[in-house]
Amino acid sequence: MAIDKLNNNPTIGYIEGDGIGAEITMQALKVFDAAVAKAYDGEKKVDWLALLAGEQAFEKVGEYLPEETLAAIRKHKIAIKGPLGTPVGKGFRSVNVALRQQLDLYACVRPVAYFAGIHAPVKQPEAVDMTIFRENTEDIYAGIEFAAGTDEVMKLVGILAEDFGVDKIRFPETSAIGVKPVSVEGTKRLVRAAMAYAVAQGKKRVTLVHKGNIMKFTEGGFRQWGYEVAAEYDAFTNEMYDHIKSVGGKQAAENALERALAAGRIYVDDVIADNFLQQILLNPERFDVVATLNLNGDYISDALAAQVGGIGIAPGANINYDTGHAVFEATHGTAPDIVGMNLANPSSFILSGVMMFDYIGWSEVAVLIKAALAKTLAAGELTTDLGGILGTDAFTDAIITNL
């Protein structure tokens, strides 16, 4: 899935980010420029536009997310960014979340796959090859919450008790309260994006991950509305499988599924979130594309990244497939303990660039970068976090050499 091909000289914004952000961003841009030059022999070139966000922005202009940055992304549609810091329990809410909500980047897309040469904590990391579609704008990340002891939270607790008969708040006088919105529209556009991606990539299975057994109207609604989207695509669902199995036995159900897949239909099933976290360890090869809500997706994406060697090699994108706006990002933290030490691993940022070039239709560049990175890792040319000895700049130079 990509937007219409851009012109030969597009403007793409970049946000260095906080902490190690400046180091990995500038090294990654060197890789991108080298790959574009090799792929197109000077016929195409990216104009990089520096944008401000995070602590750097606050220091320079007194805002964590300046309107100028949002306006530039709205205009040029595509941006890529380094990690941005988020304080816990105080101060401003996440700039990452604000970017997603302000630009309505409703799909957080996280492909997870293993690269040979990287140490992973599981026996068969190569069995992990899936793409997570995480809903980005709803769920508890909507940021609707009220601090314990405030007039607002006491008013809300009173309304819940008096108007709705809610008596299950164990300690109403000292509770903080959060609200979890999950909508039909938000769910369906996310699941449609996952289904369209599965069709475009030739994937066989889309799995809805939820906690609908407990949160029956929010996460249960996500499951229900997700299956309604599956019907739009004439998908073969696990409900169909179970029905055939109950009538004709397991082999009949397996045969029906095999025929459906052979005919190009997608198999859509659903898994409870806690069980899914077990299954990605026990049977990761069973899953292709996963659609899930915001909080579940946060947990799942990082858990899967750990299985293939760590979040330092996990790319990510935040996309609105309706408007075409997209912000690609390094998915790890700011690592303040190694700032300025030439130790940061730029792979997450570089792989996010692979996603970005695919998205804008420059697949030749994406293929070159991914192959060069894979060759570098397989040769044991690794940064220290991956068990090697290379610094950020030497690792980058190795990738460019392998182009």
Side-chain angles (χ1 to χ4, degrees), residues 18-21 23 83 332-340 344:
D18 301 323
I20 60 171
E23 298 169 64
H332 53 73
T334 58
D337 55 320
I338 61 169
V339 171

Side-chain angles (χ1 to χ4, degrees), residues 110 112 128-133 205-211 213 269-293 295-305 307:
R110 294 277 295 271
V112 187
V128 177
D129 184 7
M130 63 186 85
T131 302
I132 311 303
F133 276 73
R205 181 172 181 171
V206 174
T207 302
L208 308 171
V209 178
H210 61 92
K211 193 64 179 170
N213 58 329
D269 66 344
D270 71 281
V271 181
I272 301 297
D274 47 350
N275 182 36
F276 184 76
L277 288 169
Q278 295 184 66
Q279 293 302 317
I280 59 175
L281 286 170
L282 300 172
N283 304 294
E285 70 282 351
R286 294 183 181 178
F287 303 103
D288 290 335
V289 179
V290 175
T292 190
L293 286 160
L295 183 60
N296 295 333
D298 202 357
Y299 297 150
I300 290 166
S301 297
D302 283 11
L304 282 168
Q307 287 182 227

Side-chain angles (χ1 to χ4, degrees), residues 5-16:
K5 286 195 175 185
L6 301 184
N7 61 45
N8 288 355
N9 192 199
T11 297
I12 296 178
Y14 72 91
I15 298 168
E16 286 187 354

Side-chain angles (χ1 to χ4, degrees), residues 3-4 70 80 101 117 162 165 192 210 309 336 352 367 375 401:
I3 62 171
D4 294 336
L70 291 169
I80 189 166
Q101 293 183 342
E162 295 167 15
R192 285 191 186 107
H210 61 92
S352 297
V367 169
K375 184 177 180 181
T401 298

Side-chain angles (χ1 to χ4, degrees), residues 153-232:
V153 80
M154 296 312 300
K155 182 177 180 180
L156 181 57
V157 168
I159 291 171
L160 290 171
E162 295 167 15
D163 294 357
F164 296 97
V166 173
D167 59 2
K168 294 180 181 179
I169 301 176
R170 183 71 63 187
F171 303 106
E173 299 297 324
T174 58
S175 290
I177 300 290
V179 179
K180 177 187 175 79
V182 178
S183 69
V184 175
E185 295 89 345
T187 296
K188 287 192 171 184
R189 67 180 182 173
L190 184 278
V191 178
R192 285 191 186 107
M195 292 292 294
Y197 176 89
V199 171
Q201 297 295 321
K203 301 296 185 180
K204 300 293 187 182
R205 181 172 181 171
V206 174
T207 302
L208 308 171
V209 178
H210 61 92
K211 193 64 179 170
N213 58 329
I214 301 300
M215 290 171 275
K216 298 184 183 299
F217 303 119
T218 51
E219 305 227 356
F222 178 86
R223 175 187 181 276
Q224 174 191 332
W225 303 322
Y227 274 120
E228 290 175 5
V229 172
E232 296 173 9

Side-chain angles (χ1 to χ4, degrees), residues 31-148:
V31 174
F32 299 161
D33 285 339
V36 170
K38 184 172 181 64
Y40 302 126
D41 196 25
E43 293 183 5
K44 295 184 180 183
K45 183 179 182 295
V46 175
D47 278 340
W48 299 106
L49 175 64
L51 303 174
L52 290 175
E55 295 170 5
Q56 184 186 79
F58 188 78
E59 290 171 2
K60 291 185 176 181
V61 299
E63 297 180 83
Y64 287 103
L65 183 57
E67 180 55 39
E68 291 81 0
T69 295
L70 291 169
I73 300 174
R74 289 190 182 103
K75 176 181 178 181
H76 299 294
K77 290 202 171 184
I78 310 298
I80 189 166
K81 70 175 200 60
L84 296 171
T86 302
V88 177
K90 61 181 180 180
F92 66 95
R93 290 189 180 275
S94 167
V95 178
N96 293 318
V97 173
L99 266 171
R100 296 164 188 168
Q101 293 183 342
Q102 289 290 322
L103 298 169
D104 196 24
L105 306 174
Y106 61 82
C108 179
V109 185
R110 294 277 295 271
V112 187
Y114 177 68
F115 283 88
I118 293 179
H119 172 73
V122 297
K123 291 182 178 179
Q124 294 181 303
E126 65 277 2
V128 177
D129 184 7
M130 63 186 85
T131 302
I132 311 303
F133 276 73
R134 167 191 174 194
E135 203 291 317
N136 241 353
T137 63
E138 299 189 317
D139 200 3
I140 63 169
Y141 279 77
I144 307 170
E145 60 175 353
F146 305 91

Side-chain angles (χ1 to χ4, degrees), residues 115-120 308-314 343-348 373 376-377 380-390 395:
F115 283 88
I118 293 179
H119 172 73
V308 297
I311 200 165
I313 57 166
L343 295 175
N345 177 3
S347 297
S348 176
L373 177 61
T376 304
L377 297 172
E381 297 179 283
L382 309 174
T383 49
T384 56
D385 64 309
L386 298 177
I389 61 171
L390 297 185
F395 180 70

